[in-house]
Amino acid sequence: MYWFSLRRALCLSVVLVSVFEISLAAVLAIDYGADWTKASLMKPGLPFDVLLNKDSKRKIQSSVAWKRDDRLFGSDAANLASRFPSDSFSSLKLLQGASHDSPPVSYFTQISTSNVIEGPRSMVSFRQSDGTEWSTEELIAMQLSYIKRLAEDAAGEPVQDVIITVPPYYTQFERDAVADAVEISGLRTLALINDGTAVAVNYAMTRTFSSTPEYHIVYDAGASSTRATLVSFASAEDPKTKTSYTQISVLGVGFDRSTGGTELDRRLREILIDAFIHKHKRDIRKDQRGMAKLWKEAGRIKAILSANTDAIAMVESVAFDIDFKAKVTRAQFEKSCSDLRSRFVQPIHDALSSSGLKLSDVSSVILTGGSSRTPMVQIAVKAAVGEDRIALNVNADEAAVLGAALYGASLSRQFKTKDIRITDTLIHEIQASYFASTPGSRTINSHIFPRGSKYGTKKTLSFNKRKEDFSLWLDYKNEVAAGFPREILEGQISGVTEALANLTERGAVDPVIKATVALSESGFVSIKEAVAYGEIKSSLAGKLKGFFAGVAGEPEGSETGEKEAEEAVLSKDKKEKNDVITIPLPLTTIYSTLAPMSVAEKRTARDSKEVIFSRLRALDNMEASKQLREEAFNTLEGYLYKLRDLLSDGPETPFMKCSKPSERETISRRVAGTSAWLNNEGEAADTSTLFEKRRALESLERPVVHRYKEIEDFPEALNNSQKWNWSTRLFLADARANLTAEASAGIPSKWTAEELDALETALKEHEVWLNDGIEKQKRVKMNEDPAIETKEMRSKAKALELHLQRLVRRKAPKAKKVPKASETDENGEPNRTGGKQSGHDEL
Ligand SMILES: *[C@@H]1O[C@H](CO)[C@@H](O)[C@H](O)[C@H]1NC(C)=O
Ligand SMILES: *[C@@H]1O[C@H](CO)[C@@H](O)[C@H](O)[C@H]1NC(C)=O
Ligand SMILES: *[C@@H]1O[C@H](CO)[C@@H](O)[C@H](O)[C@H]1NC(C)=O
Ligand SMILES: *[C@@H]1O[C@H](CO)[C@@H](O)[C@H](O)[C@H]1NC(C)=O
Ligand SMILES: *[C@@H]1O[C@H](CO)[C@@H](O)[C@H](O)[C@H]1NC(C)=O
């Protein structure tokens, strides 16, 4: 039941978080794009910002690649495509949830040089040059785990919870693919958030709104696609707490799945390809490396043409040993993209029409996404909505990830954030289907979640004609995208007959079967539960009424009889007067992503997922141990340099002063030997051997270092010894005088004479030992081992100190038969006999 439990876990975590305070933990937000990934970490005590990569870059190229055994990420990985075309993987987002023979895959193969094959469950996998195969989800998971590690380095603790952005049009299949990759990466999905909504959260963060809604369109021209999200912002008051909050509601969405920066790059590369073929009469399309180089060059030229009217493409040895050079003008580029202009704008019109609003209702169009910087796109959008409506007031790259992080923070409730509440809505209509109860009859569809249904809602379907087990399917009403199936899942409801019999026996009249269907906050649809439901009429009248009602019911088999599934009713059931009994029914959910999966297929999917886990873990462990070895190698190498420096420094250094010539000779020989070893066998040595070599050298240097440290520490240790020597002497003199005085006055004393004698003996032993040590130490040379160790000095002084403190802290004995007058001391403060030892507290 792997698939099932994953989905359950998703919904559960969202519920848990909103109900309980969870322990303080960092929340990671990831905006995983086709070209670039941005991440942000929310951790109490850390500044709220975008997570930086190793090179302090604010965005990370969404790529993973192998260079022999080395796995690389980010731009290092992307750049490798021109050398190892089938070992570098980019633009993987285009393939999320797509079956291997769907249009997104054929598009992908046009732009990518990696080797696409059919993977498990008819999805996409890749074959590397060495034959290793990876599924899309695995490769994406590696990138997510890379980000997880960056976040953990920044947080200084394990990071688990992630909130991840998805395009609003993502279907259940694509959302599943995202959640699967997150799970494989070792992270836990707190929630998915539609990217336009995330930008809206970011926008609302620093702004205030009135109770009259204002409307904005978040226009996001990304790499893979373009989308427009029409959002209303308003201030509202919580009826319970009377505090005000910002309400963000998504009212309409428009999108174009295949118009974005990647397509612009592709068109630009076509220009370069044509130029190459025209000039050199060779078909560069057949050269994988050449195509990868041109792809990279196209991206560069696109950026130049955003600010200039022409650019020179230049690639050394692009293919066939030819250095390629060509001039590309912006006009030329724009001409090749002329059909895209309207496609870049259409999502805005679609968002408007799906919300029922007019452009004049919209205050601004907020531009985000990398492609919104392309002049052609900006001009097209300006022409469509009017220049004065264009808003460049959010960070085009980072608004989504920062908004997602804020949303994640509000979910986890451990951060003080502005109270922002989100209502997101469904784009692809979902229907519930089932076979009519009469055998061999037709399918009945219930329009359960129409377009615009709010995320985070449930609906309950009631079936009053079902007497036996049946299945309920959740499907998309219309085709969601070319190559995607409509069927989402099948819920098999069993135990119906028994449960109905039970209810009837217990006096329920006309029991029914109810199934609850939920649309989660993350946009997943699922059947939450199925129950048999019966009301027990308590009075006789009720029973009779029920009886007649039953008789007078719909005639069996008639057309209207098939209207048994009442129109979906929201779960807020009216208060029931009668006694209600519900019996939960066994519910098996089958997720048939592309074809219905058998139990065996599901098991295979789960097992293969476990294989993936161990494959990736093994890879991580291998890299970790490799890294450890590298560290050991570098440390040893560095240590050798340090020793060489020490040996060659002038005679005044502590190392030279504190070492004997013979020792330096030994160290010098060992350094030379180890260096030679490191440059030969060392290259292949394992971590523990490298450690061993370093330990051997350290054991030679250690006595020298020790001498130096001892010389350095001696004065303070001596000072300390003398301090306790001195204090004990003072105390003894004083205490003995008091003892004598008290004895003659007949007052009890704190100490006995024996106790003071014992302390004196200890003091004398200490003095003798110390004096002896000091005398010997005077004759010791700097490059000889010390005669008296500071460690021992401290421990002896400590022993004396404790002995002294024991006596000093002693409470004065109670004066039993003392004259009344003595109860008041000279300060006139009565009864304070215990305060006498205070004079020694500063010891
Ligand atoms: C009905 O269900 C209840 C609870 O599941 C059970 O205790 C009871 O024995 C059942 N009754 C019948 C008649 O099956
Ligand atoms: C010894 O201790 C005294 C008092 O604590 C301090 O003034 C003096 O500098 C110390 N001398 C050394 C060598 O630490
Ligand atoms: C000795 O007696 C005097 C006077 O009572 C007191 O101040 C002092 O602390 C005593 N000394 C010791 C070591 O207890
Ligand atoms: C310890 O203290 C006594 C009294 O001040 C002094 O005579 C003696 O020299 C000291 N001994 C050492 C080793 O410092
Ligand atoms: C001191 O002792 C007297 C007599 O025993 C008693 O009355 C008085 O309450 C005591 N004062 C304090 C502050 O304990």
Side-chain angles (χ1 to χ4, degrees), residues 154-206:
E157 64 179 30
V159 173
Q160 278 246 290
D161 292 323
V162 65
I163 175 148
I164 188 159
T165 63
V166 291
Y169 56 76
Y170 257 26
T171 60
Q172 180 112 342
F173 315 112
E174 294 160 300
R175 285 168 199 264
D176 274 337
V178 173
D180 282 357
V182 168
E183 196 198 14
I184 298 170
S185 76
L187 286 162
R188 190 167 54 196
T189 311
L190 204 57
L192 308 186
I193 182 169
N194 292 336
D195 42 25
T197 313
V199 172
V201 173
N202 179 259
Y203 181 80
M205 205 58 212
T206 52

Side-chain angles (χ1 to χ4, degrees), residues 207-249:
R207 291 172 173 84
T208 50
F209 304 93
S210 73
S211 56
T212 318
E214 57 182 82
Y215 305 106
H216 297 267
I217 290 176
V218 175
Y219 176 77
D220 186 349
S224 58
S225 65
T226 298
R227 50 264 182 198
T229 307
L230 200 157
V231 187
S232 86
F233 296 87
S235 150
E237 192 188 78
D238 188 305
K240 276 195 206 123
T241 63
K242 303 284 173 218
T243 53
S244 78
Y245 63 92
T246 301
Q247 175 65 47
I248 296 178
S249 304

